[in-house]
Amino acid sequence: MESIYNTWPWYVAGPLIALIMFTLLKLGKKFGMSSNLRTMCSIVGAGHFSDFFKFDWKASIWNLWIVAGVVAGGFIAFNFLTPTQPQIHADVVLQLQELGINSTNDAFLPTELFSMDSMFTLKGFSILLVGGFLVGFGARYAGGCTSGHAISGISNLQIPSLVAVIGFFIGGLAMVHFIFPLIF
Amino acid sequence: MKQTLSFFGIGLFLGILFIKSEVASWFRIYEMFQFKSFHMYGIIGSAIALGIVIVKYLKHTQAKDINGKDILIVPKDKGFVRYISGGIIFGLGWALAGACPGPMYVLLGSGFASILVLILGALLGTFAYGLLKNKLPH
């Protein structure tokens, strides 16, 4: 049980993700976690506003079952299998303190950003909403996210996926190194 | 029904994996973009390494899926602008939110109610792309 309770090392987690991709291909599907957002938009009637959402979303229902499973998995793992919090590199702990984030090593997510208190502030709410918006917009513009491009796409040696992942890192590095000092 | 259960099961396993490997932790994403830990690079790198072998094997053996159909991986459309621009926008959000779409759902299940704002944002972003699609360079 010890090995389940501890943080799963990269050489366990990475290959397991590849095996999930393999299982989905064997089931006649593909691994991608962002296209379900388009499906959800279609279900609530976004097709009235844009043809992008007029597609046979009933054929994508399987993807929502995966989402449901992921939610359930998060409940089980977080409540019953995770007694410790992520332990982050000491340099990063100090960097985060300079940004005013002091919950490192004590919480799974920074309480400064994800607590209900923070969510009900204008700044806290905006960070979450804008962060989500960029993820949703960017994933559809690029045609995939971390799972669809970085894992599935590069595994298939697709140049567009490599370009997208380079974009992910340009954006991520710019956010952390140039924009974080301005907003925190 | 059996299919539905298998998809739910795959999701369940993936959810546990996202928490136990800590890829759903904002701190791990920040640490990755500071290049201070090998953890995230090891996960993505080893997933891709094994993924390349798997896809090569599937193509080489002309493998079929469980319905007896060829496993076809449709290549992405050619292009550059959409992949680099969309990628950069996604990366900005990934670092700010500390979560990509899969981890968003897992954190909701973990009980972080504020993640609902993140998911609402992601739905609005997807909707906005649908509205602007024909005006954007691809």
Side-chain angles (χ1 to χ4, degrees):
Chain A
M1 282 309 273
E2 193 71 356
S3 51
I4 291 182
Y5 284 137
N6 291 338
T7 304
W8 294 4
W10 63 265
Y11 51 83
V12 172
L16 284 174
I17 292 174
L19 290 176
I20 288 171
M21 179 187 78
F22 171 75
T23 311
L24 283 169
L25 287 171
K26 278 307 256 184
L27 288 169
K29 311 292 182 197
K30 54 184 182 162
F31 182 38
M33 289 303 303
S34 63
S35 49
N36 54 64
L37 291 163
R38 183 184 175 198
T39 308
M40 289 182 209
C41 285
S42 296
I43 290 174
V44 297
H48 294 296
F49 302 94
S50 162
D51 288 346
F52 180 65
F53 300 106
K54 281 184 192 158
F55 69 108
D56 181 19
W57 54 263
K58 289 201 174 81
S60 301
I61 292 289
W62 66 273
N63 222 328
L64 298 184
W65 282 108
I66 294 206
V67 169
V70 169
V71 173
F75 176 78
I76 294 170
F78 192 78
N79 288 300
F80 304 116
L81 303 174
T82 310
T84 55
Q85 304 301 345
Q87 296 301 298
I88 302 300
H89 193 284
D91 292 355
V92 177
V93 176
L94 290 176
Q95 283 170 335
L96 284 169
Q97 274 171 4
E98 283 170 26
L99 294 177
I101 292 174
N102 297 307
S103 51
T104 321
N105 293 348
D106 295 325
F108 196 84
L109 299 179
T111 49
E112 289 84 353
L113 291 173
F114 291 91
S115 67
M116 294 308 275
D117 286 347
S118 165
M119 191 188 92
F120 285 116
T121 63
L122 180 63
K123 186 178 161 186
F125 187 86
S126 312
I127 287 175
L128 294 170
L129 196 70
V130 171
F133 186 92
L134 294 169
V135 166
F137 188 92
R140 279 291 60 70
Y141 195 1
C145 62
T146 330
S147 47
H149 272 313
I151 312 286
S152 302
I154 298 186
S155 289
N156 193 32
L157 306 178
Q158 295 175 163
I159 300 295
S161 294
L162 185 64
V163 174
V165 174
I166 291 170
F168 295 171
F169 275 86
I170 295 174
L173 291 170
M175 176 58 71
V176 162
H177 294 275
F178 303 122
I179 305 179
F180 271 16
L182 303 176
I183 52 179
F184 289 115
Chain B
M1 188 62 204
K2 204 175 139 206
Q3 283 251 348
T4 299
L5 272 180
S6 19
F7 291 127
F8 183 81
I10 291 169
L12 189 76
F13 183 71
L14 197 56
I16 295 174
L17 177 78
F18 282 152
I19 293 291
K20 290 307 309 174
S21 62
E22 298 172 353
V23 302
S25 169
W26 186 97
F27 292 112
R28 285 290 186 195
I29 306 302
Y30 182 85
E31 190 184 44
M32 171 181 78
F33 285 125
Q34 292 287 359
F35 300 107
K36 288 291 183 184
S37 166
F38 181 71
H39 186 72
M40 288 296 301
Y41 294 100
I43 291 177
I44 298 173
S46 61
I48 291 172
L50 182 58
I52 290 174
V53 176
I54 288 171
V55 173
K56 283 255 183 249
Y57 168 81
L58 291 173
K59 283 184 177 168
H60 186 72
T61 58
Q62 296 182 313
K64 312 273 186 210
D65 64 24
I66 49 155
N67 302 314
K69 287 188 186 146
D70 292 330
I71 295 181
L72 289 176
I73 303 171
V74 185
K76 297 277 181 195
D77 298 337
K78 284 203 165 59
F80 181 77
V81 176
R82 70 171 297 186
Y83 297 113
I84 197 75
S85 329
I88 290 173
I89 294 169
F90 178 86
L92 289 165
W94 188 18
L96 181 60
C100 43
M104 281 185 192
Y105 298 119
V106 86
L107 291 168
L108 182 65
S110 299
F112 294 97
S114 57
I115 294 295
L116 282 171
V117 181
L118 212 59
I119 295 175
L120 176 69
L123 286 167
L124 289 174
T126 304
F127 182 61
Y129 172 75
L131 294 182
L132 297 172
K133 185 173 183 282
N134 297 328
K135 296 192 177 101
L136 293 167
H138 278 80

